[in-house]
Amino acid sequence: MATEKETNEWNDYAKRQQELFRYGCENGLIYPIEIDDDFMERVRNVYWGGMPLVVVLLCERICNGFCYDRSLFMSFGFGDDDFQMVYATIDGIRLRTDYIDEYRECSEEEKKKHKEHCYIERVRDNGSVWVYEPSFGLVYQKELYEQMEHPVVNRVKTKEEIVNSYEYLDILSEDIETSKYASIVHVPFYEACLKARQPFHMDALREELERYKKEIHYDGLCVEECSNMKRMGLKVSW
């Protein structure tokens, strides 16, 4: 259980974060990824497990809690801009009172990463630096993000390291003509997420999901696979 001091620290953080978040949104220093047309177009044409990265990045249930992988996904949207992946301890995780008991039970080695977060910093042509936050699909001016979260950087991964990594190259090598059949399993999950609602990106997620279904002729794929399964004597559940 959190102490009174820990509870007060969390409440102070939450108040500061709320005020700075409102200020950032009102002054164009925080915005959702979907208003960046170039970014959206790039991640729309890269695939992971049969789904376009744009759909994955707009879905909170697929991103929140998976910052390492989703930061990598975001890197596909930056074109020729320089960027780096940042691994840091941030207040939003460090001060959370609902993590206190879990943290205390960790080994010393586990504690080093327990409060770590991962995000991407993108350097634009004008020299400005923007933090792409994978958990909620939002973009922050770096200076404002640092005021909000006070990140203590543990390590960074450069653009060169990222684009030459196995994970990055593996995503680039995906053959959507083959992997699109996995959408028969994945699409219903994303549609269920739309029904459950989320705080950001609802309209954008719905639009991108429908766009993708049309591109791969999703209804036709379902009919095709249904016929194949019946021919093999398998039970069809959709």
Side-chain angles (χ1 to χ4, degrees), residues 5 11 26 40 42 59 70 96 141 168 185 190 237:
K5 179 183 177 182
N11 290 337
E26 291 174 350
M40 292 288 282
R42 293 185 185 110
C59 183
R70 305 318 180 241
R96 282 188 61 166
Q141 181 197 51
Y168 189 95
V185 175
Y190 287 92
S237 59

Side-chain angles (χ1 to χ4, degrees), residues 79-207:
D80 294 329
D81 287 352
D82 193 19
F83 58 86
Q84 65 178 10
M85 191 178 295
V86 180
Y87 302 82
T89 302
I90 63 170
D91 285 357
I93 298 177
R94 183 180 67 84
L95 298 175
R96 282 188 61 166
T97 53
D98 55 342
Y99 281 8
I100 295 295
D101 290 339
E102 181 181 344
Y103 177 73
R104 287 171 180 153
E105 293 176 0
C106 289
S107 67
E108 290 304 313
E109 187 63 30
E110 291 171 332
K111 286 180 179 179
K112 294 178 182 178
K113 289 189 175 182
H114 186 81
K115 296 185 178 183
E116 187 177 76
H117 185 49
C118 183
Y119 55 85
I120 287 276
E121 290 182 354
R122 177 186 187 179
V123 183
R124 294 189 176 274
D125 290 340
N126 61 6
S128 63
V129 183
W130 295 83
V131 170
Y132 280 67
E133 167 56 64
S135 296
F136 298 104
L138 300 175
V139 185
Y140 300 71
Q141 181 197 51
K142 182 180 178 180
E143 291 80 3
L144 180 62
Y145 186 80
E146 291 181 341
Q147 289 182 54
M148 297 173 72
E149 297 292 353
H150 301 123
V152 177
V153 177
N154 301 323
R155 55 199 168 105
V156 298
K157 187 177 290 186
T158 66
K159 176 180 180 178
E160 182 178 5
E161 290 176 306
I162 294 169
V163 301
N164 289 306
S165 68
Y166 167 79
E167 294 84 358
Y168 189 95
L169 296 174
D170 185 53
I171 292 172
L172 278 182
S173 69
E174 179 162 332
D175 179 8
I176 188 57
E177 288 305 311
T178 300
S179 64
K180 67 183 180 182
Y181 288 91
S183 66
I184 296 171
V185 175
H186 297 317
V187 165
F189 172 81
Y190 287 92
E191 291 178 330
C193 289
L194 285 170
K195 293 178 182 178
R197 305 194 65 78
Q198 58 185 39
F200 308 108
H201 321 300
M202 283 291 292
D203 292 339
L205 175 56
R206 183 178 293 104
E207 180 180 332

Side-chain angles (χ1 to χ4, degrees), residues 33-45 76-79 81 122 124-125 132:
I33 56 174
E34 62 260 33
I35 72 170
D36 185 337
D37 292 337
D38 290 337
F39 175 87
M40 292 288 282
E41 185 61 28
R42 293 185 185 110
V43 294
R44 188 177 287 138
N45 295 299
F76 286 91
F78 300 154
D81 287 352
R122 177 186 187 179
R124 294 189 176 274
D125 290 340
Y132 280 67

